[in-house]
Amino acid sequence: MTWTQRLARGGPASGYLMIRYLKSMVLMAATPISLMLGWLIPGVTAGLVKLANSELYRAGKYLGKSSPQLPAATPRGSGDLATLAKDQSFKRSLWLYLGVVAMVPEMFVAVGAIFAVPSAVLTAVLWPVDPGNFTMLGVEIDSWWEVLWLAPLQILVGLGLLGWVAPALARAHAKTVQRLLSPSADQLETERLNRRVEELTRTRAGAVDSHGAELRRIERDLHDGTQAQLVSLAMRIGVAKQVMADDPEKAAKMLDDARDGAEQAMHELRGVLRTMYPPILQDRGLAGAVSALCARCPLPVELRMGELGQVPAAVEAAAYFVVAESLTNVTKHSAAGRVDLTMERRGPELYLEITDDGIGGARINEQSDLLGRGSGLHGMLHRVQAIDGHLELRSPIGGPTTIEVILPCE
């Protein structure tokens, strides 16, 4: 590394050390208050954890590698010392007070690296104005002889601090911050599991809501459609039975109407069953079922189907309904001219992407399921999340709209 490159590193290093010094001053000034009130007021300890995370962020930014953040302080009531004693984030953040010890040498190096050279030049120019009140390296300047040997020496010291000492000290401090403040592996694993529990709780709640909306839709379809047809069918057969002896021809006609009604009821019942688990998935598999959906779509669909392998039934059903709902939405709302659909297996996951060239502006409506107006995009999201999948919607105003879905198959 050349000397110019070393000097170039000195600026960020000195800035990092100066900010560290100012933060340490604030922390030192606040120490009496924090030590007295931190045990009682939850906000003080929470602020200490946030300060530790800011230090971790700056240390990682300076070193060029990210630092894992401490989890937020454990919620607790005022004076709850038992919870505070178990809070790993709070105990880690106490290492901040160790930085107060290092603030004096850090300040000396940072100030020396930044101001040694400019102050040497200014002193060499201005000392004749007021001899004896200017210094270099702590020596009072009273003659040109002192300027001639102290100025170059101070410049060399400043360049040494800027190019070598400040970067080394800043890196050492940043690495120490990461080593002392970063959460432990057990703490990170606990935090990951907590986030996973929260995510599963949220997605399962969404799946329950979606399932409830689906049951209400099926009940409504059966009540308003199939049940009404069956009631009408029973009434026609009853009337035909009554008039059969007096008017066999009329009874035969009514029985024919009843037969047509039975066929219509069967058709509607099959339609309801298809929404639960499409028989075409059992007959033709996911690839054939999706191909059939694309063939029935009024818009031209460019289908790119990769090797799917063995796909679990729940994943097949979720993928099928995502495609069906997406094509329906595109046809009804997007004003698109074409659709591109990609489905393929990527390792242990099934990847699905649907893109249309429509007007865009699609949003996931949180109220669609709750109001019983069909599954929509929100229902698709619930179906995907219920099997630990991921759905991403990109739909800027003016288009295009892309729905990307990843479903775990193992």
Side-chain angles (χ1 to χ4, degrees), residues 65-81:
K65 56 181 181 180
S66 60
S67 303
Q69 296 284 287
L70 288 169
T74 304
R76 64 185 181 91
S78 299
D80 186 358
L81 300 183

Side-chain angles (χ1 to χ4, degrees), residues 200-338:
L200 289 176
T201 302
R202 177 179 57 81
T203 57
R204 293 307 180 264
V208 170
D209 291 341
S210 181
H211 181 64
E214 189 74 3
L215 288 178
R216 291 193 296 271
R217 181 193 61 77
I218 293 173
E219 180 183 9
R220 184 175 64 251
D221 291 344
L222 291 175
H223 181 273
D224 297 342
T226 306
Q227 181 176 318
Q229 289 289 339
L230 292 176
V231 170
S232 175
L233 177 62
M235 293 177 61
R236 292 178 190 178
I237 293 175
V239 174
K241 184 178 179 181
Q242 292 177 359
V243 302
M244 183 176 293
D246 300 332
D247 192 348
E249 184 177 347
K250 182 178 180 181
K253 185 177 183 305
M254 295 183 68
L255 289 174
D256 290 338
D257 293 341
R259 182 188 61 192
D260 294 339
E263 292 178 354
Q264 184 176 353
M266 289 296 295
H267 176 74
E268 292 183 0
L269 183 59
R270 282 193 295 268
V272 174
L273 293 176
R274 286 193 188 96
T275 64
M276 299 169 65
Y277 186 83
I280 192 172
L281 285 175
Q282 184 68 32
D283 298 337
R284 300 175 57 181
L286 180 59
V290 170
S291 298
L293 285 174
C294 295
R296 292 199 301 267
C297 182
L299 300 175
V301 179
E302 179 68 26
L303 176 61
R304 291 181 291 274
M305 184 75 67
E307 179 62 36
L308 302 183
Q310 192 70 23
V311 180
V315 176
E316 282 188 339
Y320 178 85
F321 282 115
V322 166
V323 173
E325 185 65 37
S326 298
L327 294 180
T328 300
N329 288 341
V330 171
T331 303
K332 289 182 178 180
H333 308 298
S334 72
R338 59 174 286 118

